[in-house]
Amino acid sequence: MAQVEKKAGLLRRSSSSKKPLTEKVVLMYDEIFGVEDPAKNKPRFWEELFLMKVNLEYLEGKLESLDGDEVTKIRDNINRLFQHCVQTLSEEHQIKVVNALQTLCALFRGVHQKNKSTSGFDIINVLMGFDKAEQRMKELMESLDALLCGDGSESLKSLCLKLLLCLVTVTDNISQNTLLEYIMINSIFEAVLQVLSVAPCRTQHGYDAVVLLALLVNYRKYESVNPYIAKLSIVDDENTLNGLGMVISQALSEYNRQYKDKEEENQGGFFSAFTSMVGSMFIADAEEKLSVQTNEAILLALYEAVHLNRNFIAVLVQSHPEVDIASTPTTPVPATPTTPLGTTPPSLDLMNSAELPLDPNLQTSNLLITFLKYSSIVMQDTKDEHRLNSARLCLIILTCIAEDQYANAFLHDDNMNFRVNLHRMPMRHRKKPVERNIPSRPLVCAVLDLMVEFIVSHMMKDFPMDLYMRCVHVIHKLICYQKKCRVRLHYTWQDLWSALINLLKFLLSNETTLLSKHNIFPLMLLVVNLFNMFITYGDTFLPTPSSYDALYYEIVRMHQVFDNLYCMVLRVSTNAGQWKESASKVTQALVNVRAIINHFNPKIESYAAVNHISQLSEDQVLEVVRSNYDTLTLKLQDGLDQYERYSEQPKEVTFFKDLARSISLNVRRNVSLNALSQDVLLKEFSTIS
C-alpha cells in the first residue's frame, strides 16, 4: 500500500513538473510573427489556421507588444494574414469565416493599439501594404456586404457588424481613422438598410446597425463629402424608415423602463421612510440612485434621421399601441456584450413587426412620445457631462422638430390627442408628483410641458445658459407656428408665463454671479420677446379672450419683476461696458410690457380706492383690465415672429465632433470580440458544416 502511495506521489510530482502545453494556434501565430513566410514549407498553413479556434487575447497582446523595428520585419507576414482573412470570408466553410472575422477584429484593434501615435497611412501599410490596400478593402467590404445581405446565419451577420464597429472605432476621433475612407468608397449603406428593413434581422442586429450608421454619417462630415449623409437624406422606403424608427424607439423605451424600474425600487421600504422622516434635504442623493446611463449613440442616430431626412418625420409621429415592455415576451438572440445600464441593445420582440396587437385598453404612443419621456429623464440632471450632452442633443432634436411644417401640423392637430406622462425632477419646494390622470391633448402640449419643466427646475449656480437658450427658442418657434396658422391651443398658458417670469426673477437675483460667466441679456431678450409675441399676436392664437385677459393680469400681478428688470438693463445700457449693446436691446423690447403696467396699475389703484377695497381679487383685477383695453396704446414691434433656422454649421461643429468621439470610445469599450461566445459559434457551425 505504501508503495502504491509512493508511486502515486511520484506520478503527481512528475506530471506537475511538465510544462503546460501550448495551443497549436498560438504556435502558428508565433510563426506568423517570425520573419519567414509561414507557408513556405507548409502549403496548408493558412487553411489549417482558420480551422483553429482564434485566441484573441494572445493575438492582440502579441501585436501590441511588438516594437517599431519588429513590426517592420514581420510586416509582410501581417499583410499575408490580412490577405488570407479577407479571402477566407468568401469561402463556404462557416467555421473558417467566423475565425477570419474574429482574426480581422484582433488585427484592427491590435495594430491600432500599438500605433496610436502613428499616422493612419503607416497603419494601412502594416495591415495591407500601400500597393494592395485599395483592393484588399474593396474585397473586404464586398464580402461583408454579401454576408449581411445573404440568407446565412444571424450569428455571422452579428459578427460582421461587430467587425465593422470595431473597424470604425479603433481611433478615438473617427475622422482621423484613415481606414474609413475605404468604407466611404465601398459603401455598405444599402446592406445596413437591409438589416433595418427585414423584421427578423432587425430584431437581432438593428441596434448595432443603427449605431454603425450614426458613426459613419459623422465621419469627416465637415471636411469632405460624406456619401452616407447624402444617401440617408434621400431614403424614402417606408419599411426601412419604419425599421430605423422602431430600433430607436425600442432603445429609448428600454431606457425609460429601466429608469421607471429604479424609481419604483426606491419607493417604499426603509429608504423612502427615511427620506420622508428627514425631509427633502436628501432628494439629490435619492436621484443619484435613479441615475441610468444615457444612450448618446441612439440619440445621435435619431438626430441625424430627423435632421437629414424629411421623410422620417412621418415615422416620428406614426401611432401604435403602447406596449408594456416588461410584460412583452422576448425572443432569444445571440449574447451581446456587457454594456452599462441604458446602453444595452434591446432584445425584445417589439421590433419584429410594425403590426402590433390592437387592444382598446392600450394607450396610443409613437416614437415622439417615447423621445419626450426619455428627454424628461435625461434633462433632470445636467451636472454629469454625458447627461448634459444628451440634454443638449434632445433640445437640438426638438428644435429641428419645432421648425418642421409637417411635424408642427401633427403636433398641433386637435384630432390627434395623447396622454404623455413626463418625469418631473424632485425639488425641495414641491412634492414629487404622484401618477395622475393626465388629460389627452395635442402633442405640442407635452413639448411645452417639457420646456416649462426644464425652465423651473434648472435655476442654479452652475447655470446651463446654452440649454436655456435652446429651450426658449423651441417655445418661440412653436408659438410662431401657432401665430402663422392661427392655431388656438387649449393649454395652461399661465404655467408658461409664470415659469418665464420666475426665470427673469432668478437672473436678476443672481446678476453678479451670472454675468461673471455669461452674457445673460440675449436670454432676457428672448423671454421678453415671448411676452411681446403674446401681447402683439395673442388674440390670433390664444384659445379664448379670457386667456388674453389672464396674460395682462399676470404681467400686472408680477410688475415688480419687470420694473426691476427695466432698472437693471437701463443701468447697464447707460454705462460703458461690454454688455451695453445687449442690455439696450432688452430696454427697447420692454416698451409694451411697461406700457401695460403703467396703464393698468393706476386704474387698479383707483378702482380699489373708489370701492374702498384694500386688496383686489383676481376677478376684480380682470374686470379693470377688460374695461380699460380701449385706452391702452401699444407699439407695433417688427420681427417678433421671425427666427434664425437651425444650422449645424458652424455653431454645433465642436459639439458633434466631441459627441462622436465620446460615442466612439464608449462603443469601442463595449464591443467585445467575445460578444458571441466562440464555443457557441463553433458548435453552431460545426453542425452546419
Side-chain angles (χ1 to χ4, degrees):
M1 185 72 181
Q3 286 180 335
V4 174
E5 285 178 3
K6 186 178 180 182
K7 187 177 180 182
L10 287 170
L11 284 172
R12 279 198 296 273
R13 280 197 297 273
S14 171
S15 61
S16 63
S17 65
K18 285 185 180 179
K19 290 183 180 179
L21 293 172
T22 305
E23 285 182 81
K24 184 176 179 181
V25 74
V26 169
L27 295 173
M28 297 182 83
Y29 290 154
D30 288 340
E31 288 188 63
I32 294 170
F33 289 111
V35 180
E36 293 287 325
D37 179 355
K40 185 176 180 182
N41 299 314
K42 298 177 182 178
R44 290 177 54 83
F45 178 86
W46 299 110
E47 187 178 345
E48 288 179 13
L49 177 69
F50 293 111
L51 287 169
M52 300 282 175
K53 179 181 171 182
V54 180
N55 189 324
L56 297 165
E57 188 179 348
Y58 184 83
L59 184 54
E60 271 194 67
K62 190 76 175 176
L63 285 164
E64 289 177 35
S65 68
L66 298 172
D67 62 33
D69 291 337
E70 287 174 319
V71 170
T72 305
K73 288 176 184 175
I74 66 161
R75 194 189 69 205
D76 289 344
N77 278 352
I78 295 176
N79 290 174
R80 289 184 185 107
L81 176 57
F82 191 94
Q83 175 192 348
H84 284 283
C85 282
V86 173
Q87 288 174 352
T88 303
L89 295 183
S90 58
E91 290 199 19
E92 292 183 7
H93 199 300
Q94 302 284 279
I95 289 179
K96 285 186 175 182
V97 176
V98 168
N99 289 330
L101 286 168
Q102 294 193 324
T103 303
L104 282 167
C105 282
L107 274 174
F108 284 128
R109 297 222 312 198
V111 171
H112 272 87
Q113 194 66 25
K114 173 64 192 171
N115 296 277
K116 276 187 172 178
S117 59
T118 312
S119 75
F121 296 105
D122 289 338
I123 287 168
I124 290 170
N125 198 28
V126 170
L127 282 171
M128 296 165 270
F130 286 134
D131 54 337
K132 298 288 195 316
E134 197 168 321
Q135 182 60 28
R136 294 281 179 267
M137 288 301 292
K138 182 174 183 291
E139 291 168 357
L140 174 59
M141 290 301 115
E142 285 174 353
S143 294
L144 293 175
D145 188 278
L147 288 167
L148 285 170
C149 297
D151 298 325
S153 160
E154 296 302 326
S155 299
L156 212 52
K157 291 180 182 181
S158 187
L159 259 183
C160 288
L161 287 166
K162 291 286 187 288
L163 171 60
L164 285 163
L165 284 170
C166 176
L167 194 161
V168 170
T169 60
V170 285
T171 56
D172 295 352
N173 183 348
I174 58 171
S175 293
Q176 291 177 352
N177 185 350
T178 321
L179 287 170
L180 290 192
E181 283 299 327
Y182 298 107
I183 303 183
M184 296 296 119
I185 298 165
N186 305 287
S187 176
I188 51 154
F189 183 80
E190 287 71 21
V192 173
L193 292 197
Q194 183 163 323
V195 169
L196 296 174
S197 61
V198 180
C201 200
R202 176 177 65 242
T203 305
Q204 298 195 47
H205 318 303
Y207 184 88
D208 283 346
V210 166
V211 173
L212 176 63
L213 186 60
L215 288 169
L216 289 173
V217 165
N218 279 272
Y219 173 70
R220 302 197 69 198
K221 67 194 299 191
Y222 309 113
E223 294 90 8
S224 61
V225 178
N226 182 326
Y228 288 82
I229 293 175
K231 289 183 177 186
L232 180 58
S233 67
I234 59 172
V235 174
D236 58 1
D237 179 70
E238 193 175 338
N239 282 340
T240 303
L241 291 172
N242 283 339
L244 174 59
M246 290 173 82
V247 173
I248 294 170
S249 179
Q250 190 57 35
L252 298 182
S253 295
E254 177 69 12
Y255 177 95
N256 295 346
R257 183 191 64 76
Q258 289 178 17
Y259 181 85
K260 191 175 181 182
D261 287 349
K262 279 201 160 196
E263 198 173 39
E264 288 173 357
E265 278 176 25
N266 283 313
Q267 288 174 356
F270 171 78
F271 181 80
S272 178
F274 181 74
T275 50
S276 298
M277 176 181 66
V278 176
S280 58
M281 62 185 288
F282 293 110
I283 276 176
D285 296 332
E287 280 310 288
E288 280 175 22
K289 294 195 175 188
L290 296 181
S291 178
V292 180
Q293 184 170 329
T294 53
N295 194 331
E296 294 165 329
I298 284 292
L299 208 56
L300 180 61
L302 175 60
Y303 163 75
E304 297 296 357
V306 169
H307 179 232
L308 295 175
N309 192 305
R310 291 211 61 201
N311 300 315
F312 190 76
I313 294 294
V315 176
L316 199 65
V317 298
Q318 184 176 318
S319 299
H320 59 74
E322 186 174 54
V323 179
D324 182 3
I325 304 172
S327 64
T328 307
T330 63
T331 359
V333 294
T336 49
T338 305
T339 55
L341 203 59
T343 63
T344 310
S347 60
L348 304 170
D349 206 21
L350 285 183
M351 294 188 289
N352 213 21
S353 170
E355 296 293 325
L356 292 171
L358 291 174
D359 182 337
N361 298 318
L362 283 177
Q363 167 66 25
T364 305
S365 186
N366 56 41
L367 173 53
L368 182 54
I369 291 174
T370 304
F371 167 66
L372 290 174
K373 289 180 180 179
Y374 177 90
S375 300
S376 72
I377 297 170
V378 299
M379 286 165 63
Q380 286 183 29
D381 178 17
T382 56
K383 292 172 185 173
D384 169 74
E385 184 185 355
H386 290 287
R387 294 173 80 84
L388 178 66
N389 287 339
S390 287
R392 181 175 290 132
L393 192 47
C394 286
L395 286 167
I396 292 174
I397 292 169
L398 285 169
T399 300
C400 295
I401 291 169
E403 290 181 4
D404 187 89
Q405 190 78 3
Y406 178 77
N408 262 311
F410 181 86
L411 286 172
H412 292 85
D413 189 341
D414 209 28
N415 297 313
M416 299 293 288
N417 295 323
F418 301 88
R419 290 186 178 88
V420 184
N421 187 18
L422 299 175
H423 295 265
R424 299 179 72 204
M425 185 174 175
M427 297 173 71
R428 289 184 176 86
H429 64 273
R430 71 178 183 191
K431 291 181 180 179
K432 185 151 185 166
V434 293
E435 291 266 341
R436 60 189 190 279
N437 190 17
I438 300 162
S440 193
R441 306 172 295 171
L443 261 184
V444 68
C445 296
V447 179
L448 289 169
D449 282 349
L450 182 63
M451 298 300 97
V452 169
E453 175 60 22
F454 179 83
I455 290 171
V456 301
S457 61
H458 288 78
M459 298 180 207
M460 50 195 178
K461 282 185 178 179
D462 191 11
F463 189 71
M465 175 61 77
D466 175 71
L467 300 188
Y468 267 95
M469 291 292 289
R470 294 179 194 278
C471 176
V472 180
H473 272 302
V474 169
I475 297 169
H476 178 239
K477 287 168 182 179
L478 293 172
I479 292 174
C480 285
Y481 175 84
Q482 292 166 23
K483 179 258 175 185
K484 176 185 173 184
C485 299
R486 294 182 173 265
V487 177
R488 295 191 180 276
L489 183 69
H490 289 272
Y491 181 70
T492 51
W493 291 110
Q494 287 90 338
D495 290 349
L496 174 62
W497 300 331
S498 175
L500 292 172
I501 291 170
N502 283 329
L503 173 57
L504 290 175
K505 194 175 178 181
F506 173 81
L507 294 174
L508 289 168
S509 301
N510 297 274
E511 173 193 346
T512 307
T513 306
L514 292 174
L515 277 176
S516 65
K517 301 175 184 176
H518 311 284
N519 177 5
I520 61 176
F521 298 104
L523 179 58
M524 288 177 165
L525 181 62
L526 273 175
V527 172
V528 171
N529 277 339
L530 272 183
F531 279 101
N532 285 329
M533 279 283 289
F534 282 104
I535 293 165
T536 310
Y537 304 115
D539 59 331
T540 66
F541 63 84
L542 286 171
T544 60
S546 62
S547 302
Y548 197 71
D549 301 338
L551 167 69
Y552 278 67
Y553 171 80
E554 198 65 24
I555 291 172
V556 172
R557 186 177 74 88
M558 301 300 291
H559 71 89
Q560 195 63 56
V561 175
F562 292 106
D563 291 343
N564 292 344
L565 175 62
Y566 181 74
C567 291
M568 182 265 204
V569 293
L570 187 65
R571 167 173 48 82
V572 175
S573 62
T574 51
N575 293 328
Q578 65 182 122
W579 312 123
K580 181 175 181 175
E581 190 177 339
S582 295
S584 180
K585 290 178 182 177
V586 183
T587 309
Q588 295 163 23
L590 280 166
V591 60
N592 282 341
V593 173
R594 296 192 71 244
I596 290 168
I597 293 167
N598 293 335
H599 176 74
F600 286 107
N601 262 356
K603 300 278 192 297
I604 291 166
E605 289 168 6
S606 174
Y607 181 91
V610 169
N611 291 281
H612 306 289
I613 303 170
S614 59
Q615 192 169 356
L616 299 184
S617 67
E618 181 179 341
D619 288 340
Q620 289 169 327
V621 172
L622 286 169
E623 184 186 331
V624 175
V625 168
R626 290 189 194 101
S627 58
N628 286 281
Y629 276 133
D630 294 346
T631 52
L632 174 65
T633 304
L634 296 175
K635 183 181 178 183
L636 184 63
Q637 293 177 304
D638 295 326
L640 291 175
D641 57 346
Q642 304 296 314
Y643 58 80
E644 182 183 351
R645 290 188 67 84
Y646 170 77
S647 174
E648 192 176 305
Q649 287 184 271
K651 293 181 181 177
E652 314 294 349
V653 170
T654 302
F655 169 69
F656 280 104
K657 281 184 174 180
D658 290 344
L659 185 65
R661 176 190 288 267
S662 171
I663 292 169
S664 177
L665 284 166
N666 194 45
V667 170
R668 185 168 76 230
R669 201 178 298 123
N670 294 323
V671 172
S672 167
L673 299 190
N674 291 307
L676 295 165
S677 165
Q678 286 180 301
D679 293 331
V680 172
L681 279 169
L682 295 175
K683 185 177 179 183
E684 176 185 342
F685 294 121
S686 63
T687 57
I688 296 172
S689 304

